[in-house]
Amino acid sequence: GNYMGPDPDAELEEVEPTAEEVIASLETKLADAEDKALRAAAELQNYRRRADRELANARKFGAEKFAKDVIAVADNLRMAISSVSEEEADGDPKLKNMRVGVVMTEKELLGAFEKNSVEQVVPQIGDDFDHNLHQAMTQIETSDIAPGKVAIVMTAAYRLNDRLLKPAMVGVAKAPADDSNSDSDRE
């Protein structure tokens, strides 16, 4: 009856792994560590690429919001200049000075745009309507300009590094309504 349980010394008897088993276990752990290291390196490389791309875009397009806000100023300066012809200004010294000042201000602004990769694109009358660059505000009945071409230019377009910030506002030519060829006049 004096049962003491299993022999405590017997429990401590561990089976030593063989050298082959130790090597196999270490090889498995090494392969796992190498796999994790490769994944971490690939993740870091992807992160660097993404960060470089975002930084390049920030450099290239960071001024976009500011440029869009300032474009309205350029359009208003152009309207002010257009409202008084050079001939009208020549007849009035005060008007002439004011017009010259507004022209100089516009020139400075366009220079600042250029330095910051903002390009002003002014359509010409007779240009093809380009939906990537122009916004049609109206249609103009005319026989002087081919249908579908730009007939009037209200505002210029603006691009930042080839990204359109604001389309040009234009009127597009359409053929005049021709009553002389309607069916009721034919005999």
Side-chain angles (χ1 to χ4, degrees):
N2 246 6
Y3 181 64
M4 301 283 293
D7 179 3
D9 295 332
E11 265 184 46
L12 297 175
E13 224 180 295
E14 284 183 17
V15 180
E16 283 288 318
T18 64
E20 288 80 12
E21 287 172 327
V22 170
I23 290 168
S25 167
L26 289 173
E27 282 175 343
T28 302
K29 286 178 180 163
L30 180 61
D32 191 41
E34 283 175 343
D35 185 54
K36 283 181 178 150
L38 284 172
R39 284 173 198 260
E43 234 172 87
L44 182 61
Q45 186 64 32
N46 287 339
Y47 170 77
R48 278 197 184 124
R49 275 198 205 108
R50 199 166 49 248
D52 288 347
R53 198 167 46 243
E54 286 171 8
L55 185 60
N57 276 340
R59 280 196 189 109
K60 202 169 178 185
F61 300 113
E64 184 172 359
K65 186 181 180 328
F66 178 72
K68 280 182 175 177
D69 290 344
V70 179
I71 284 168
V73 175
D75 286 343
N76 288 336
L77 288 171
R78 178 48 31 199
M79 272 191 269
I81 293 165
S82 301
S83 70
V84 178
S85 70
E86 280 189 60
E87 293 75 31
E88 289 173 304
D90 283 341
D92 180 340
K94 282 185 178 173
L95 203 52
K96 183 178 178 115
N97 284 344
M98 194 166 104
R99 189 177 196 283
V100 166
V102 176
V103 167
M104 287 170 55
T105 304
E106 181 191 46
K107 192 175 177 194
E108 290 264 332
L109 180 59
L110 294 178
F113 277 167
E114 206 175 301
K115 275 187 224 149
N116 291 281
S117 305
V118 176
E119 177 192 12
Q120 182 189 56
V121 185
V122 182
Q124 300 302 306
I125 290 170
D127 283 356
D128 288 331
F129 177 79
D130 178 355
H131 67 275
N132 293 314
L133 196 58
H134 305 145
Q135 185 171 339
M137 303 305 289
T138 184
Q139 287 192 313
I140 311 287
E141 283 191 19
T142 178
S143 51
D144 299 337
I145 299 163
K149 304 271 187 187
V150 172
I152 59 167
V153 177
M154 298 161 193
T155 64
Y158 293 87
R159 288 192 289 223
L160 173 62
N161 291 308
D162 296 328
R163 180 185 285 180
L164 186 67
L165 296 177
K166 180 182 174 290
M169 304 295 165
V170 300
V172 180
K174 76 173 188 177
D178 193 355
D179 294 330
S180 64
N181 287 343
S182 67
D183 291 336
S184 62
D185 289 346
R186 289 207 187 112
E187 291 179 359

